[in-house]
Amino acid sequence: MNKSLLARFMQNWRFTDQGDTMHMELPDEVLQKKRFAQNTVFTLILIAIKDYYILKEMYGTSFIEQLEFELKQILKDETNNSNEIDITSVGPGEVAFLSPQKNAPADVAYEFKTQAQNGLKKTMFRQTGLGIDLGMGYATIEIGEKNAAEESFPVALEEARRMIRIPLNMKGLSIASRFNTILSQGLVSTKYQPILNFKTGSILGWEALTRGPQGSSFRSPVILFETAEQLGRLFALEKLCRESAIAHAGELQAGQKLFLNIHPKTMADPEFTPGKTLELMDKAGLNADNVVFEITERHSVQEFDLFYRTLDHYRSQGFKVAVDDAGAGYAGLTTIAELQPEYIKLDKSLIDDIHKDPVKRALVETTVTFADKIGSQIIGEGVESMEQAVCLKDIGVHCGQGFFMARPAFPKPELTTSCQELQSVGDIANKSITCSLPIGDLAKPPHAITPTHLVSTAQSFFKKNSRFSSIIVAEDNIPKGLVMEYHLNRQLSSQYGIALYYKRAIETVMDPTPLMVDIDMPVEQAARKAMKREPLKTYDDIIITRKGFLYGVVSVQDLLNAMAKIQVEMAKGTNPLTGLPGNVSIEQEVESRIQQKRRFSIIYADLDHFKVYNDTYGFKNGDQIIRLAADIMSWATKKHAGQEARLCHIGGDDFVLISSPEAVEKFCTSVTRCFGRLVRNCYCAEDKKRGWIKARGRDGMERNYPLVSISLGVIEICGQCSLMEIGERAAHIKKFAKSKPGNSVAVDRRPPLGTEK
């Protein structure tokens, strides 16, 4: 063995027995003097990249170095204790580590090899279009008083290397025997994970996920299916998994799907019998429309004939098809276009940090457009946070799946509370929020630097202060630009990014036209502005100013949370008949506008002769007239008063509109004309023709009453005043309006409330 390699490996090791774990420490001179009081048995595990030199020659040094780096990282993750087990390079494409010997060495080495192979597939396929085959070797090392580590290691390493050169005999591993026991005894279980339809908020379907016995290495589906393929038992395993998934799925609600993973190679198995799946489904009360077969294209990129034959077989029976791992390098757009699957599942690597990465967002937006054109639906996999879900929903992704929705479980789990309340910024911004909270209330202290600060300074700041996602570039406390961390990282990670920008002024990389809003702007108006930005800037922070000077900063996520909270609070006061907000909304809206020193009008609407109509025609028809009034006023509000106006139903036949003074005349004219014309349809032909009805009044006397009409009283507010003052003046003007016959409008001609005396 090369002495320098041994020295480098041994330099990192000193073993101290602490129960089941082994801690590695330096320096090696301590190791040279140390002898163990008791014998300690380890397994040396060696994992090697086969065809190392061929891959290096064909694809370059940088690729093979990346492969080695990822191999070490995957093994560190699999040891679950990277601080205590050192993964060390011992040769070109070779990594080794010691593990306390608990199980059969061959089984342990095989598990690490399998997990590492699975982890490297994406990188390998993306670069070469091929899979990867890793070699594995192992040896036992006993270190104690008589055996020093530096003496035992070279012998064990050479033994492990010899093993790599020998073809792997799976049948000789005890793991093979344990796998066969799982098959013969049916020791698999199925968990179900919901797939959320972002548009409807309902569950599109459930993916069935297989797990091996609890507490065994086969709990991992990677180990389970890789072993099945190695032993030639893939069809037997998949048959067992499918039987379990269908049998335990339980009742599916109308329109819901069951997503089943299939491996195209199963069709080539001699035991494959067409029609078996339909028999299983028939027993479970399911049909082909309930089932979507999910095919991971990575399993079959070199066997297209088999792949397409598999698709044709299941489609001919009426099943839907989903292609998995889109965006991971396996499923290219050309191939997907040829397959025309009903569902395209985006790989988790595309979903990670999508709310921070404008390039990923742009890529997913393009994929959504592509899917819409070929009639497919996009499902984002690996959604683990609200930020990711909100971003996907805003982009237009059709469905999502991941821990944010629910973890896989049996029986089928409920959606998480956060998922059930999910609303995107676009959803809320386009709704009529009934409380105009000023955005300044959400502002957080910004970190500001001058335009001459270096880019390197900004990057260093982001590394040390993870709670900041942006830096404001300002001069004399006047904002000049915005630097988002993810934009900066993208610029610096380009081929010549460091050389071009690192020592230059921050103004060379800042966004010179960020969204800047005044402290008093309502949050819903700011949200609408944010969502109208170009896609690459949709989730950039918003700069808050006061009289043109820097005041603070607000993230889109904070904006979303605030608006969602407002909407939930307002929903508590919603009128169940008309769906319009009630008294609480009016008070909060009026107080908010007074606080913001906004000039506004209040239009009080009341129905005349409504009680007589209600007593004569009944409550059901009375509710119809109230809904008619609400619909007419809602239409007039949208047409003439704009998105900032707020229409509220305070109870019974009373309504209030809060609006700008400029919209009052057109609103009132439209409402009185439309209501006067349409309310006649709420009467019988005789009453409608007469234009009045005969009924008993509150005094019990029978007399003729006019048809129901609407009276509108208008007051104006321009400054500080109390809710009591507003209520008294509104009552007076409403009384005056009702004194006028028919559909009428009364405008208060006195000075507006709040006028300085």
Side-chain angles (χ1 to χ4, degrees):
M1 176 182 178
N2 186 303
K3 290 185 178 180
S4 62
L5 288 175
L6 175 59
R8 192 160 68 247
F9 185 89
M10 296 307 301
Q11 186 180 11
N12 295 319
W13 293 77
R14 174 179 169 230
F15 307 95
T16 57
D17 192 353
Q18 295 188 3
D20 289 336
T21 61
M22 296 294 151
H23 294 268
M24 292 52 161
E25 301 173 349
L26 241 123
D28 58 332
E29 55 262 34
V30 176
L31 177 62
Q32 292 169 7
K33 297 175 183 177
K34 179 71 177 176
R35 293 295 181 268
F36 292 84
Q38 297 179 346
N39 288 347
T40 307
V41 179
F42 295 92
T43 299
L44 182 143
I45 298 173
L46 177 66
I47 306 294
I49 300 173
K50 290 186 175 181
D51 302 322
Y52 173 88
Y53 291 104
I54 295 175
L55 291 172
K56 183 177 181 180
E57 181 69 24
M58 293 182 65
Y59 302 104
T61 302
S62 60
F63 168 69
I64 202 70
E65 287 178 349
Q66 175 68 20
L67 215 55
E68 286 184 287
F69 172 79
E70 290 186 19
L71 174 59
K72 292 176 71 172
Q73 197 60 49
I74 292 166
L75 291 173
K76 280 184 179 180
D77 293 341
E78 290 303 321
T79 59
N80 294 321
N81 208 334
S82 58
N83 292 328
E84 297 181 356
I85 297 182
D86 188 39
I87 312 294
T88 305
S89 294
V90 293
E94 296 179 335
V95 293
F97 59 96
L98 298 182
S99 176
Q101 193 170 101
K102 298 178 183 178
N103 301 321
D107 289 355
V108 175
Y110 171 77
E111 290 172 20
F112 277 113
K113 173 212 168 184
T114 302
Q115 296 287 10
Q117 251 176 212
N118 184 68
L120 290 176
K121 279 181 179 178
K122 290 181 182 179
T123 300
M124 187 69 182
F125 186 87
R126 190 180 296 117
Q127 182 70 25
T128 69
L130 303 171
I132 187 169
D133 184 24
L134 297 177
M136 72 168 223
Y138 56 89
T140 298
I141 296 182
E142 186 174 353
I143 303 173
E145 292 182 349
K146 296 182 179 180
N147 303 308
E150 61 269 29
E151 296 169 355
S152 304
F153 178 77
V155 177
L157 183 60
E158 192 54 41
E159 182 182 343
R161 280 183 172 145
R162 281 198 303 272
M163 194 169 295
I164 286 179
R165 294 191 287 268
I166 302 171
L168 178 65
N169 180 13
M170 282 293 297
K171 295 181 179 179
L173 301 181
S174 63
I175 200 169
S177 173
R178 289 189 282 127
F179 174 82
N180 289 326
T181 300
I182 289 174
L183 282 187
S184 62
Q185 298 183 15
L187 301 178
V188 298
S189 59
T190 305
K191 294 192 174 185
Y192 301 88
Q193 188 171 38
I195 299 171
L196 175 70
N197 184 318
F198 282 135
K199 185 175 181 179
T200 64
S202 60
I203 294 175
L204 167 76
W206 306 86
E207 181 176 359
L209 300 166
T210 299
R211 299 290 184 265
Q214 186 75 37
S216 76
S217 56
F218 288 115
R219 190 68 179 168
S220 163
V222 173
I223 301 290
L224 192 64
F225 280 90
E226 183 69 23
T227 305
E229 192 166 359
Q230 291 287 337
L231 293 172
R233 304 299 306 278
L234 193 59
F235 175 73
L237 175 62
E238 191 166 287
K239 180 174 177 288
L240 177 62
C241 294
R242 196 175 304 180
E243 289 173 352
S244 174
I246 293 173
H248 298 101
E251 184 180 356
L252 297 180
Q253 295 182 11
Q256 286 187 349
K257 313 291 184 186
L258 180 63
F259 284 68
L260 300 175
N261 289 277
I262 65 169
H263 196 307
K265 285 185 179 179
T266 56
M267 279 195 65
D269 194 287
E271 296 182 26
F272 177 80
T273 306
K276 285 294 182 182
T277 302
L278 287 173
E279 290 180 16
L280 289 171
M281 290 166 51
D282 188 55
K283 290 179 182 178
L286 301 175
N287 56 54
D289 191 55
N290 296 128
V291 173
V292 178
F293 280 115
E294 189 170 318
I295 302 178
T296 301
E297 199 184 351
R298 74 177 101 170
H299 292 312
S300 50
V301 291
Q302 294 172 310
E303 300 173 87
F304 283 112
D305 288 343
L306 179 60
F307 187 45
Y308 288 117
R309 198 161 71 246
T310 303
L311 287 178
D312 291 341
H313 169 75
Y314 288 113
R315 274 196 164 135
S316 68
Q317 296 179 336
F319 295 105
K320 303 290 190 297
V321 172
V323 171
D324 200 6
D325 294 319
Y330 308 111
L333 293 182
T334 303
T335 305
I336 291 174
E338 292 175 359
L339 298 175
Q340 295 188 18
E342 283 76 15
Y343 301 95
I344 302 169
K345 302 190 81 171
L346 294 182
D347 187 71
K348 185 180 184 299
S349 61
L350 267 181
I351 307 304
D352 288 341
D353 292 330
I354 191 170
H355 57 293
K356 297 180 180 179
D357 191 331
V359 176
K360 285 184 178 180
R361 286 204 303 274
L363 182 58
V364 172
E365 283 177 352
T366 302
T367 309
V368 170
T369 302
F370 167 76
D372 287 338
K373 288 182 183 292
I374 66 170
S376 298
Q377 290 192 57
I378 297 291
I379 300 173
E381 290 190 292
V383 183
E384 296 183 353
S385 68
M386 177 178 286
E387 290 85 355
Q388 291 173 347
V390 167
C391 184
L392 293 174
K393 187 171 166 62
D394 274 331
I395 286 171
V397 170
H398 307 96
C399 306
Q401 178 182 353
F403 289 171
F404 176 72
M405 287 74 190
R407 290 179 175 271
F410 178 81
K412 300 193 296 292
E414 297 286 337
L415 292 172
T416 62
T417 303
S418 299
C419 178
Q420 292 174 16
E421 297 172 354
L422 178 67
Q423 294 187 85
S424 70
V425 178
D427 288 339
I428 299 179
N430 292 328
K431 291 182 180 179
S432 179
I433 306 298
T434 56
C435 178
S436 298
L437 178 74
I439 196 169
D441 288 3
L442 308 181
K444 291 182 178 179
H447 178 73
I449 60 177
T450 64
T452 56
H453 269 71
L454 297 181
V455 171
S456 57
T457 305
Q459 188 187 42
S460 177
F461 172 80
F462 283 131
K463 287 181 178 179
K464 295 177 182 177
N465 299 274
S466 58
R467 67 187 183 91
F468 284 90
S469 60
S470 66
I471 292 175
I472 312 300
V473 181
E475 198 164 29
D476 298 327
N477 207 31
I478 298 175
K480 299 294 182 183
L482 175 73
V483 179
M484 295 299 298
E485 182 182 13
Y486 47 76
H487 287 312
L488 181 63
N489 289 340
R490 182 166 56 90
Q491 287 174 293
L492 293 178
S493 62
S494 61
Q495 187 172 6
Y496 302 108
I498 297 292
L500 284 174
Y501 302 115
Y502 205 61
K503 293 301 180 183
R504 299 184 68 182
I506 194 68
E507 62 183 348
T508 60
V509 298
M510 73 180 186
D511 173 12
T513 58
L515 177 58
M516 291 190 281
V517 300
D518 188 74
I519 186 175
D520 292 325
M521 179 178 285
V523 291
E524 62 268 30
Q525 187 177 341
R528 286 193 289 270
K529 284 181 173 289
M531 298 313 293
K532 288 180 181 178
R533 292 182 289 185
E534 58 184 282
L536 288 177
K537 296 167 63 172
T538 301
Y539 286 84
D540 287 5
D541 288 354
I542 301 167
I543 298 174
I544 313 299
T545 60
R546 182 166 60 184
K547 296 181 178 180
F549 292 98
L550 179 61
Y551 178 79
V553 66
V554 170
S555 70
V556 172
Q557 185 60 42
D558 287 342
L559 196 65
L560 169 68
N561 292 339
M563 294 176 70
K565 184 177 180 181
I566 291 169
Q567 196 174 41
V568 169
E569 290 299 317
M570 292 303 98
K572 296 176 182 177
T574 297
N575 187 286
L577 178 61
T578 61
L580 294 172
N583 287 318
V584 176
S585 300
I586 297 172
E587 293 177 5
Q588 291 184 339
E589 182 68 25
V590 168
E591 289 177 342
S592 174
R593 294 189 183 223
I594 292 174
Q595 185 181 355
Q596 296 172 37
K597 299 179 181 178
R598 299 167 66 184
R599 191 183 187 96
F600 63 98
S601 293
I602 292 179
I603 304 173
Y604 201 123
D606 188 17
L607 299 182
D608 308 314
H609 314 300
F610 175 74
K611 185 180 184 303
V612 172
Y613 176 91
N614 209 39
D615 292 344
T616 304
Y617 280 82
F619 290 106
K620 184 177 181 180
N621 289 313
D623 287 347
Q624 184 179 348
I625 282 192
I626 291 176
R627 282 194 292 266
L628 173 66
D631 290 342
I632 291 171
M633 285 188 283
S634 295
W635 163 79
T637 300
K638 291 178 181 177
K639 184 173 182 179
H640 301 300
Q643 293 182 330
E644 289 189 42
R646 300 291 177 262
L647 178 64
C648 304
H649 184 184
I650 58 178
D653 57 349
D654 292 338
F655 298 85
V656 166
L657 176 72
I658 303 168
S659 162
S660 65
E662 293 76 19
V664 168
E665 183 178 352
K666 288 185 177 179
F667 172 85
C668 292
T669 301
S670 295
V671 169
T672 52
R673 285 180 179 175
C674 288
F675 187 82
R677 184 175 70 253
L678 297 176
V679 76
R680 299 174 66 85
N681 297 327
C682 298
Y683 289 82
C684 67
E686 183 180 350
D687 289 344
K688 181 178 179 180
K689 183 178 180 180
R690 271 201 316 246
W692 53 269
I693 63 173
K694 186 178 290 290
R696 294 185 183 276
R698 295 182 180 180
D699 58 3
M701 299 295 293
E702 189 174 68
R703 58 175 63 89
N704 298 336
Y705 287 91
L707 304 185
V708 174
S709 58
I710 191 167
S711 295
L712 305 175
V714 184
I715 65 172
E716 188 173 340
I717 300 164
C718 70
Q720 194 65 42
C721 59
S722 67
L723 291 174
M724 183 176 292
E725 291 176 289
I726 294 172
E728 288 176 353
R729 184 169 288 198
H732 289 156
I733 198 67
K734 183 188 81 164
K735 185 177 181 181
F736 179 68
K738 289 178 72 67
S739 68
K740 301 166 71 173
N743 297 287
S744 62
V745 179
V747 180
D748 188 8
R749 301 300 179 185
R750 289 170 289 184
L753 281 172
T755 304
E756 293 184 5
K757 299 178 181 178

